[in-house]
Amino acid sequence: MIRILNRLIKKHLSKLSADQGVKNFITDIEDVFKQQKEEKEFMERTLTLSFEELNQINASLKENLAENRENHRKLEKIVAKQNALFDASTEAVFSFSNDSVIEKMNQAGIEFLNISPDEYDENEVHTCDLFMARIANVDKFNHDIDEIRHNSDARIHGFFDTVDSKHYEYYSVPEVVDGDFIGRVWCCRDITNIRENEALLKHQANHDALTDLPNRVMILDALNHAISLSNRHNTLVGVLFIDLDDFKKINDTAGHHEGDRYLIEFAQRVKSALKNGDIIGRLGGDEFVVIVEGINDVLDIIQINERILALCEKPFYIKDKKYYMSCSVGVGISPDDAVDAEELIRKADMAMYQAKKSGKNTYHFFDDKLDKIALESVLLESQLREAINNDEFILHFQPKFELENGNICGVEALIRWQKTPEQLICPDDFIPAAEKNGLIRDITYWLVEKACKTMVSWQNTSMANIPISLNISALDFSDLNFTTQVASLIDQYQIDSSLLEFELTESIFFDDIVQVQQTIATLKSRKIKISIDDFGTGFSSFAYLRDIDIDYLKIDRSFVQNVHQDRKSHAIVKSIIDVGINLGVEVVAEGVESELEMNLLAAEGCHIGQGYFMSKPVNEKALCTFIEQRL
Ligand code: C2E
Ligand code: CA
Ligand code: CA
């Protein structure tokens, strides 16, 4: 450009070239052009540089993009794998947001919530209420997961049951992003089968496969438990070691299969002879063990022994053939014979050998003293049976007096056993045994019939219209025939049943209260009066006083004794009288032995008194004389 300009200047301005001004002008122009040229060259260099840089950046961007695409692909793969894993899991998995909304759940989760897959809508809001509705014991579950309420970072593990009786194990872990808690994941695993298998295994480990009875392991466990309980409650535990007599013969003649059937039937028979709570187990072979706990009296064990021996009196049928089998029983009692399960069983086993030695089909106690008691008890039972058949019982009568005026208002019939002309046995010596062996039912029947006969014989005498009270055992009350028998006796003898009074102890209320209420209502419908005997010594619950219609409360003798001297007895007697008065029930004090006692009772408002001070129980003849003298 400068060169072209120079040439043009030389061509057109050659004449002016000598002029300094023109020279300067040309030089300036040349400078401007030079500067322009330099700037242009600089620009060109800069452009070249930028272009290279851009190329480089472009290349690196391209590289980054490729890397990102690869990463994205990898991420997609991971998410896909995780989703597949999530859905393939048989565990119910839930992801909860911070505000307890289920953000995500898998197929098993949907099933867990009992939502049918067709109804499931991913966009619907599912709250944790849906989850909680599935849990059976919400209170316990809430208690178990309490930790996460205080500590959102907590990872917890536990178990719950569902409303449809399934068992679940759960894990709950927090979801944290950059240190921020954003929710919680719950995994719930159905362990119902595991639990059932565990229970089955446990059952198998503790039970005999043939009879399904507890085996030695469980028997030892149960026995140790029973012993420690009896220690605490001061009761006895009896262990009966039962061994079948000549069982080998059955196996040898009828075969093992029939032998097994026999063992199963024997076990069922023994079970039927036991009370609820008694345990029968099989130690193996033909050896069984029975645990009887919570007893106070060896008489109870004697009764069970007798029942078990009696079970074998009924024949067993094997392949339509009749077999009579028997067994030998050995008895150990804790704490007297041993305080350890193994030792107690060993001692019962030793006693069983004694039973075998003395001819089989019998029982023996480890402690010889108890054998004597057992013998006496069995003897007493057979003598009582005879006494019932031979009409060896008699009644004595003890009058009751209105404390206000001293008038006789009734008599209590008290049974005695005239065993021989010289030997009169008191009820305390045979009634408890009769209650244990069930003979009390026959005795009570005799008693009610005798009372009816007595009333008939008193008609048209000075004794007519004297109420007779009878002591009725709690056992009679659990007998469904009792009221029918009483009613038929009343009808048979045509007596005025409003003159009959039944004295019942509070122990009747240990039985089914509804049945007791019904029995009492039936008796009352026949106008029979009801009295609660020995009041204050049983469980004296106000509930039954409210629920049952009674006529008399009879204060137990132990409170009446020295009531004028003993401050506490006085307070109790006074309170019972108050309760009676407030309920509109007459209060009877039994066992009045002195004038001082009688006067205090009268002063406190007690209605009726009975006791040696006024009259001892006397026979019928003496009673007649006593009453006639007072007329
Ligand atoms: P229970 O029903 O408490 O009868 C009162 C007992 O106290 C009677 O004894 C009576 O003789 C006695 N007794 C009466 N007044 C006094 C007294 O002032 N002081 C003392 N220390 N005792 C007195 P019993 O006749 O020996 O009868 C004892 C228990 O036998 C009766 O106690 C009753 O539970 C039961 N019993 C009596 N007869 C029968 C009956 O026919 N059937 C049933 N199941 N039990 C009966
Ligand atoms: Ca009584
Ligand atoms: Ca009494």
Side-chain angles (χ1 to χ4, degrees), residues 388-563:
I388 294 167
N389 293 335
N390 302 341
D391 204 9
E392 290 172 15
F393 298 111
I394 58 162
L395 286 183
H396 277 187
F397 299 91
Q398 189 178 33
K400 299 189 209 176
F401 301 83
E402 284 175 9
L403 290 177
E404 202 178 28
N405 51 31
N407 291 341
I408 291 177
C409 56
V411 290
E412 178 176 1
L414 295 155
I415 199 167
R416 272 99 184 89
W417 177 9
Q418 190 81 60
K419 203 170 171 194
T420 62
E422 301 76 35
Q423 200 184 5
L424 191 66
I425 301 176
C426 284
D428 284 337
D429 293 336
F430 65 90
I431 292 287
E435 284 178 332
K436 296 258 185 257
N437 60 33
L439 287 176
I440 189 70
R441 292 199 174 96
D442 295 329
I443 293 176
T444 301
Y445 187 82
W446 175 89
L447 173 74
V448 179
E449 182 167 32
K450 180 75 182 172
C452 291
K453 285 179 180 167
T454 308
M455 277 186 183
V456 171
S457 72
W458 285 356
Q459 280 164 4
N460 307 320
T461 72
S462 49
M463 312 287 287
N465 301 326
I466 291 189
I468 301 182
S469 48
L470 306 176
N471 292 285
I472 305 294
S473 158
L475 239 106
D476 297 316
F477 251 69
S478 52
D479 180 359
L480 296 171
N481 286 328
F482 176 64
T483 48
T484 323
Q485 286 180 339
V486 169
S488 73
L489 283 171
I490 290 172
D491 294 341
Q492 185 186 340
Y493 288 92
Q494 299 270 297
I495 53 134
D496 175 2
S497 52
S498 69
L499 293 176
L500 264 187
E501 178 186 320
F502 284 175
E503 296 192 5
L504 314 165
T505 58
E506 291 166 308
S507 55
I508 58 162
F509 299 109
F510 287 129
D511 288 328
D512 177 1
I513 190 76
V514 177
Q515 197 205 316
V516 170
Q517 261 172 326
Q518 277 167 359
T519 309
I520 288 184
T522 313
L523 294 173
K524 297 222 67 168
S525 74
R526 301 295 303 228
K527 297 199 173 56
I528 295 169
K529 307 275 185 317
I530 300 293
S531 168
I532 302 295
D533 205 355
D534 306 339
F535 185 75
T537 56
F539 71 173
S540 312
S541 153
F542 287 113
Y544 77 71
L545 288 185
R546 181 196 56 204
D547 299 339
I548 282 172
D549 193 10
I550 56 169
D551 302 281
Y552 302 99
L553 271 188
K554 212 166 173 186
I555 311 173
D556 188 64
R557 206 163 64 210
S558 58
F559 301 118
V560 174
Q561 204 173 37
N562 289 327
V563 65

Side-chain angles (χ1 to χ4, degrees), residues 42 47 66 111 138 149 180 238 274 289 399 406 427 508 580 625:
F42 177 73
L47 271 174
E111 279 159 24
V138 177
R149 292 206 181 84
D180 286 335
L274 300 177
V289 160
I508 58 162
T625 316

